[in-house]
Amino acid sequence: MKQKEIKRKEILDAGGIARSLSRLALEIFERQQGQKDFAFIGIQRRGFPLAKRIAQKLKEMEKLNIEVGALDINLYRDDFSTVGTAPVLRGTNVPFTVEEKTIILVDDVLFTGRTIRAALEAIVDIGRPKKVELAVFVDRGHRELPIQADYVGLSLNTRREDHVELYLTETDGKDSLILESGK
Amino acid sequence: MKLGKHLLGIEGLSKEEINLILDTAEKMREVAERPIKKVPALRGKLIVNLFFEPSTRTRSSFEIAEKRLSADTLNFSTGTSSVLKGETLLDTVLNIERMQPDAYVMRHASPGSCGFITNYIKGSVINAGDGPHEHPTQALLDALTIRQKKGGFEKLDVLICGDITHSRVVRSNIHLLKTMGANVTVSGPATMIPPYIEKMGVKVETNFEKALLKKDVVMMLRIQLERQEKALFPSLKEYFLTYGLTEERFKLCDSKCIVMHPGPINRGVEIASEVADCKDSVILDQVENGVAVRMAVLYLLLGGGENETSN
């Protein structure tokens, strides 16, 4: 195998992530104002802790109690093939009804849009929300489907072959946004 | 962590593989609670249910699991097939193979038959019972039930009672429970306990009441009434008197003991109705877990993806 030099750059540290999340939470609050019927559904694995953090911020800043569910989209993927390993299931747990609510889907990185396509299909199987919106922490471009986010924490210019990873304390032991690019 | 291509038995599976199946099954249970009890994970996959021996429970359980994962299914049982016209197992399989199935779920009277057909096919094989050899998904659903009720397997004292010689359920369960760290005792009439079973790491206690003392889990096996002609015990009534699990005997176990049975149960033969229907009986939980476990196995064997995230 040809050795590739990989450049690893921290885009945001814990403090930066917290500030971006506060901004994201405020934006959601401003746009949802007057509407009480909204809830978060975080996409496993890192969208779920992110959704919980945004809900927590809304509680601290605006005294809102917003429900949070978790969605596992691995049973809805479009890239199953006979090679490779079946992805580990983290489980779907939406402990509230989605009917007549605005559901804000939360994910860490928006890239091809395929995860969101799968998530939309998964949500429809749970119920019929009034509206579905999308909040992502990072939008790194390179969509392969007609999907756009309604709320974006950070837009990042990347190349298709780069790798963007948002590490979170809940899943990885620390907060850090990393961009890896091959030379 | 990846399972092999086939599931032919519990023998040879590691603790990690067993835990992966049980964890995945736990997540699959949620699908059954939805208004739409179906996910598209195995869309476009063809699964053949090849049953050369009668089965209601296992076959329907597999079929529900396949349907919940959106696979296409083909049911094939001896009663309605060319096997009656004299076709051999291999010929039957070679014919079906040309219909490009992705997996076979197979039950057959001959031990090793599931392993045998893996040499002739491209897809996966899941053993749904091959003679007295193994019945891996039954042991896995038993394990899921035990884990839910007991929290784990370490140092758990498990008793299995009945026709140990002819039971594939026992063999799969012994492999699984020993791998997971439980202590296993088998009991039953000496005519139904194979020699050298101790080599599998189990204790033998033909005195049923002694065997029951302080057990955490009691697994009763069905007395196969069709084997009665072999005269392994004098009469069904005598069997119940000696080895039937009555309320009185059940009190000898640990106070938090659970009762299991792979079904179908013979009330008043191996188990008294009062025990089969009591609050410590998890027999129907086992049936419910069967679908989740089979979904997990099918998903893990057939649901390979390129990588975990593509955002």
Side-chain angles (χ1 to χ4, degrees):
Chain A
M1 271 243 313
K2 201 165 62 180
Q3 279 288 333
K4 256 194 176 173
E5 198 187 323
I6 290 173
K7 264 197 347 203
R8 214 178 131 86
K9 189 176 156 199
E10 185 173 57
I11 306 287
L12 288 178
D13 60 8
I17 289 171
R19 279 189 295 279
S20 292
L21 268 177
S22 297
R23 223 178 305 128
L24 199 60
L26 264 182
E27 205 189 324
I28 291 171
F29 174 70
E30 279 169 14
R31 249 197 285 159
Q32 294 298 327
Q33 212 153 29
Q35 307 260 20
K36 279 191 194 127
D37 282 354
F38 74 98
F40 292 115
I41 293 186
I43 298 174
Q44 298 272 32
R45 158 166 182 249
R46 294 183 182 123
F48 179 49
L50 269 183
K52 283 200 283 194
R53 286 197 201 181
I54 296 172
Q56 183 60 32
K57 295 231 183 248
L58 288 175
K59 194 173 188 176
E60 286 161 14
M61 298 189 298
E62 309 294 342
K63 303 209 166 33
L64 281 180
N65 274 317
I66 308 298
E67 292 173 296
V68 181
L71 192 69
D72 189 320
I73 56 103
N74 281 312
L75 296 170
Y76 291 84
R77 297 172 68 93
D78 64 0
D79 56 356
F80 276 136
S81 73
T82 46
V83 293
T85 313
V88 174
L89 296 187
R90 317 258 174 206
T92 290
N93 180 22
V94 180
F96 49 85
T97 166
V98 301
E99 308 282 328
E100 297 308 312
K101 280 201 184 84
T102 294
I103 295 299
I104 302 179
L105 268 179
V106 182
D107 204 7
D108 52 351
V109 182
L110 179 58
F111 180 28
T112 60
R114 289 182 189 271
T115 301
I116 305 304
R117 185 215 57 82
L120 289 171
E121 197 184 337
I123 283 192
V124 171
D125 277 1
I126 297 173
R128 188 178 188 279
K130 190 172 71 187
K131 192 177 178 190
V132 182
E133 296 184 336
L134 174 61
V136 297
F137 190 78
V138 183
D139 181 352
R140 56 162 295 192
H142 305 284
R143 220 75 79 237
E144 292 168 3
L145 292 169
I147 281 168
Q148 289 304 330
D150 300 278
Y151 313 94
V152 178
L154 179 73
S155 287
L156 208 56
N157 273 326
T158 62
R159 289 180 300 175
R160 182 83 181 66
E161 61 275 20
D162 292 347
H163 199 68
V164 179
E165 204 77 66
L166 175 67
Y167 296 101
L168 295 175
T169 313
E170 296 90 325
T171 47
D172 313 282
K174 63 163 188 172
D175 281 4
S176 176
L177 177 65
I178 300 287
L179 171 68
E180 281 181 358
S181 44
K183 254 191 162 177
Chain B
M1 185 79 250
K2 183 172 168 32
L3 284 189
K5 187 177 175 189
H6 311 288
L7 181 65
L8 300 176
I10 299 294
E11 189 177 10
L13 284 188
S14 67
K15 205 169 179 169
E16 290 71 29
E17 287 169 316
I18 292 166
N19 273 324
L20 174 68
I21 298 172
L22 299 184
D23 291 344
T24 307
E26 205 60 76
K27 303 288 187 266
M28 290 295 185
R29 281 158 52 84
E30 176 263 330
V31 177
E33 288 158 16
R34 300 183 188 183
I36 298 171
K37 300 176 182 57
K38 203 175 179 79
V39 292
L42 298 186
R43 203 169 47 184
K45 306 267 188 199
L46 176 61
I47 301 175
V48 179
N49 298 316
L50 202 52
F51 281 72
F52 293 97
E53 267 193 332
S55 156
T56 320
R57 197 170 320 249
T58 304
R59 216 188 73 173
S60 11
S61 180
F62 264 111
E63 209 178 326
I64 293 167
E66 290 153 8
K67 293 195 156 127
R68 294 227 163 119
L69 292 171
S70 302
D72 295 318
T73 59
L74 176 71
N75 288 319
F76 184 102
S77 45
T78 31
T80 56
S81 74
S82 311
V83 175
L84 287 179
K85 300 175 188 162
E87 192 174 58
T88 66
L89 167 64
L90 184 55
D91 281 331
T92 303
V93 167
L94 290 176
N95 275 276
I96 294 175
E97 182 64 8
R98 286 302 173 100
M99 299 169 200
Q100 326 286 344
D102 297 283
Y104 294 79
V105 173
M106 186 166 115
R107 170 169 290 186
H108 195 281
S110 303
S113 48
C114 293
F116 166 74
I117 70 161
T118 59
N119 300 318
Y120 301 93
I121 59 148
K122 287 207 278 297
S124 299
V125 178
I126 297 163
N127 182 356
D130 57 340
H133 177 222
E134 281 229 41
H135 188 359
T137 56
Q138 177 69 43
L140 287 162
L141 72 88
D142 290 342
L144 185 64
T145 313
I146 293 174
R147 201 175 75 165
Q148 285 162 358
K149 303 290 172 190
K150 295 287 173 190
F153 303 92
E154 274 316 315
K155 305 265 177 292
L156 215 55
D157 285 311
V158 183
L159 171 68
I160 309 178
C161 178
D163 186 352
I164 307 297
T165 308
H166 296 102
S167 173
R168 50 190 169 222
V169 176
V170 169
R171 238 162 302 277
S172 289
N173 259 307
I174 292 175
H175 285 306
L176 189 144
L177 291 166
K178 294 304 294 179
T179 306
M180 301 309 279
N183 305 315
V184 183
T185 307
V186 296
S187 185
T191 48
M192 290 180 158
I193 294 180
Y196 303 114
I197 183 97
E198 301 87 349
K199 302 243 172 193
M200 291 183 80
V202 301
K203 269 186 273 176
V204 177
E205 177 54 72
T206 48
N207 181 326
F208 186 43
E209 281 163 15
K210 267 194 206 159
L212 283 166
L213 281 177
K214 303 240 175 353
K215 289 294 179 288
D216 301 302
V217 176
V218 175
M219 209 179 272
M220 299 304 293
L221 302 175
R222 184 174 74 96
I223 283 308
Q224 301 179 320
L225 301 173
E226 58 273 24
R227 290 195 206 282
Q228 243 307 86
E229 71 219 37
K230 288 193 184 167
L232 295 169
F233 53 88
S235 72
L236 291 177
K237 194 170 175 195
E238 182 161 339
Y239 187 87
F240 183 70
L241 286 175
T242 329
Y243 289 101
L245 187 60
T246 57
E247 264 183 310
E248 205 53 27
R249 286 193 176 125
F250 187 48
K251 287 184 189 140
L252 297 167
C253 304
D254 183 83
S255 61
K256 293 195 185 89
C257 180
I258 55 169
V259 187
M260 309 180 75
H261 193 301
I265 61 175
N266 295 315
R267 291 172 184 267
V269 180
E270 68 267 359
I271 189 164
S273 277
E274 298 77 45
V275 181
D277 304 328
C278 76
K279 65 171 178 32
D280 300 309
S281 159
V282 296
I283 298 172
L284 295 175
D285 298 286
Q286 290 173 266
V287 179
E288 192 180 328
N289 282 330
V291 175
V293 155
R294 287 164 182 133
M295 285 173 78
V297 168
L298 290 166
Y299 170 75
L300 291 168
L301 293 182
L302 300 176
E306 295 289 343
N307 48 32
E308 198 173 335
T309 47
S310 66
N311 298 313

